[in-house]
Amino acid sequence: MSEANIVDITPFLAKHQLPLKYQYLSEQYFVPLAHDILESKKTNTPIFVAINGCQGSGKTTLADFLVTWFSKNTSLNSVALSIDDFYLAKQARKQLAEDVHPLFATRGVPGTHDTELMNRTISQLLAGDINVPLPRFNKHIDDCVSQNEWLANSTPVDIVILEGWCVGSEPQPLFSLSEPLNELEQLHDKEGVWRRCINSCLANEYKAIFNKIDYTVMLKAPSFSDVFTWRQEQEQKLIAKEGAGSGTMTNAQLVWFISHFERITRENLNTLSSKANALIELDANRDISGMHLISDDTLQPIIFTDLDGTLLDHSDYNTSNVSVLLQQLQNAHIPVVFNTSKTFCEVVEIKNELNIQQPFIVENGAAVYIPDHYFELKPIGCKKVGAYWCFALAKPLSRLLSDLESLDSKYKAHYKLFSNLTGEQISELTGLSDEQARRAQTRDYSDPLYWYGNDDLLNTFVEDVKALGYDIKVGGRFIHISKNTDKSAAQQWLVKQFTHHFRKPLTVIALGDSDNDKQMLEQANIAIIIANPASKKPVKLSHNKARYSQSPAPLGWIEEITSLPCINSILSITEEQTSHG
């Protein structure tokens, strides 16, 4: 548990009369739940979170904890609403009982809420409105609080939480309503008018509200028989806080009251539990016995990609063709890590053009750069470099230059280091402008060389360089020399950091076009080789099955990424949420 996730909840425990074990529960279950909700918030529009659970299951407490955690750990504004605060006034329920069915005099079931007010309030909050009146209901007096005592939001809300025992409930098939379920229905709803009316409410006005829900949490009781005990404890807390009154109940009254909810509660235990984004299972003592997040069933994709000839066209480096897809991937929380021979200055310029904030790897795995606070904690071994955390895997450039100087002088006439090329030569070889060439020559760890000697001499040179402990990769245009590091080593180090960042298992996707990308591709779960006619030495993998694009960059990159089911499914969900918003 990182320090950023630890909230002093001592006042929170006192407020809700909770034992100290709730601190453990919050760290074990509720903080991961909060993270999962944040990861589900794919766009800048507000997210609507529902918390369902039977009476006494801890819905209100959980909702308040989430609001507390979001306020302490994020810049997002959140608000928790209870469906109970939208109850019709006592007089309105009395009139409903006279006009429709006597059982509607008891608050709680669908039909006893002001759904028009609930729909309007939630819609305004999701629209980003401010000064939205937030209704309140006083259970002690069994009536609505005067509107002049309602609170209102002073800033736009990012996360709207609605908790309630029937939140997210769905109507039952009509045939299932034919027979009474309990003594209440048998004695007071023989004709089924009350239960059919409730079902109709769920199928219409409540459905219009519940259809807005983006994320559902269910606190699942072991069985309906546990509900009375839990609701009894809830009642005792209310009496201890405010004293006995017309809004509190005796045990006999509780049995009568809970019978109103039995049908829908049983249905939710059977059906809603399989549909919830987060299922928190409770035992008879209301302790959490387990939590399952639907997102855990989906692997988290992470994309590592070479740039020249893979993501970008080898001739013009144009980023416009890939900018839309990269934004979609970023919005969907799918990291796209540039793993390239380019320098820090070059990559930063490209990232700024594309408006993306992701970690990246430079100079063929020499160093990893992570945007400041991209992860909750700075990884061990990183140093601060401007707005980034830097983890260096390679020695400084001076070591390489010294070793090259020690080689046979006969080689010097047959290559030039990239840093020694003129702007004109770089432009001719790469198509870079003078400004781009300057960024490319600002190197910290490596210096590619351009070889213009014959192949026989190159083979000898390669052997001599290898004898000094270096590895050599022949890229699309240049020869890359490194020691004890390559793209794959940096990739593996960064994957470990992502493992701590994401709860779910990772799927590593790597894309490259040349032999320089071989190790990076070998280490991936999914390896994609982008067609590049200009590559001097096309990559051939030894122990990993690769996909091959039909088109060169950038079209080949786009076609391959968007055809992957693990990517496509997430982008589809994000598109639906964006349309919803």
Side-chain angles (χ1 to χ4, degrees), residues 372-389:
D372 195 6
H373 298 301
Y374 182 86
F375 298 128
E376 289 172 352
L377 294 176
K378 183 172 69 172
I380 296 173
C382 287
K383 65 177 182 179
K384 191 78 178 336
V385 177
Y388 296 89
W389 294 329

Side-chain angles (χ1 to χ4, degrees), residues 160-350:
V160 179
I161 301 173
L162 178 67
E163 57 90 0
W165 77 275
C166 67
V167 173
S169 299
E170 298 178 350
Q172 293 179 275
L174 292 179
F175 68 82
S176 66
L177 304 175
S178 58
E179 296 296 327
L181 180 70
N182 54 27
E183 186 177 359
L184 176 79
E185 292 185 0
Q186 188 174 3
L187 295 178
H188 300 282
D189 190 35
K190 293 180 181 179
E191 304 300 323
V193 173
W194 176 68
R195 54 187 181 267
R196 285 199 301 273
C197 185
I198 290 173
N199 207 58
S200 177
C201 289
L202 282 177
N204 293 284
E205 55 262 39
Y206 285 78
K207 184 177 182 180
I209 299 169
F210 298 160
N211 278 348
K212 301 178 191 292
I213 294 170
D214 300 301
Y215 189 102
T216 301
V217 182
M218 184 180 188
L219 294 160
K220 185 182 179 183
S223 66
F224 184 77
S225 61
D226 295 286
V227 175
F228 174 77
T229 303
W230 295 358
R231 186 61 181 81
Q232 188 179 44
E233 292 176 7
Q234 193 177 44
E235 199 68 21
Q236 290 168 351
K237 282 187 180 182
L238 183 63
I239 293 173
K241 182 179 180 181
E242 301 187 18
S246 60
T248 58
M249 305 179 202
T250 64
N251 287 348
Q253 289 171 324
L254 268 180
V255 173
W256 165 267
F257 183 64
I258 290 171
S259 295
H260 290 71
F261 309 135
E262 183 172 358
R263 176 176 291 275
I264 294 176
T265 301
R266 288 186 183 276
E267 181 70 13
N268 286 341
L269 291 175
N270 291 331
T271 60
L272 188 61
S273 58
S274 64
K275 301 175 183 179
N277 299 84
L279 177 64
I280 300 175
E281 298 192 81
L282 309 175
D283 62 20
N285 296 318
R286 281 195 296 178
D287 289 327
I288 297 176
S289 58
M291 180 173 74
H292 176 255
L293 305 178
I294 283 182
S295 62
D296 286 343
D297 298 333
T298 305
L299 297 177
Q300 170 64 47
I302 299 178
I303 301 170
F304 288 82
T305 181
D306 177 53
L307 291 178
D308 296 353
T310 299
L311 178 68
L312 306 178
D313 187 290
H314 223 303
S315 59
D316 61 14
Y317 310 106
N318 193 306
T319 60
S320 60
N321 293 323
V322 296
S323 61
V324 173
L325 178 55
L326 288 175
Q327 280 298 316
Q328 291 174 337
L329 293 167
Q330 179 167 261
N331 292 338
H333 299 285
I334 300 176
V336 179
V337 179
F338 297 164
N339 196 353
T340 176
S341 60
K342 289 184 179 295
T343 66
F344 172 83
C345 294
E346 289 179 287
V347 177
V348 168
E349 180 68 17
I350 294 171

Side-chain angles (χ1 to χ4, degrees), residues 109-209:
V109 296
T112 62
H113 301 93
D114 188 340
T115 52
E116 183 179 344
L117 174 62
M118 183 165 27
N119 199 355
R120 183 173 66 250
T121 302
I122 292 171
S123 296
Q124 288 177 330
L125 291 172
L126 292 176
D129 293 352
I130 60 173
N131 298 319
V132 178
L134 306 178
R136 289 174 56 203
F137 187 90
N138 188 329
K139 293 181 181 179
H140 192 63
I141 63 173
D142 193 25
D143 213 342
C144 300
V145 173
S146 174
Q147 189 166 348
N148 59 18
E149 297 182 36
W150 294 3
L151 301 176
N153 64 308
S154 57
T155 56
V157 174
D158 303 291
I159 303 172
V160 179
I161 301 173
L162 178 67
E163 57 90 0
W165 77 275
C166 67
V167 173
S169 299
E170 298 178 350
Q172 293 179 275
L174 292 179
F175 68 82
S176 66
L177 304 175
S178 58
E179 296 296 327
L181 180 70
N182 54 27
E183 186 177 359
L184 176 79
E185 292 185 0
Q186 188 174 3
L187 295 178
H188 300 282
D189 190 35
K190 293 180 181 179
E191 304 300 323
V193 173
W194 176 68
R195 54 187 181 267
R196 285 199 301 273
C197 185
I198 290 173
N199 207 58
S200 177
C201 289
L202 282 177
N204 293 284
E205 55 262 39
Y206 285 78
K207 184 177 182 180
I209 299 169

Side-chain angles (χ1 to χ4, degrees), residues 42 111 141 154 196 320 366 398 413 440 468 536 547:
K42 304 293 188 182
I141 63 173
S154 57
R196 285 199 301 273
S320 60
S398 57
L468 294 175
K536 294 179 180 179
R547 295 166 56 110

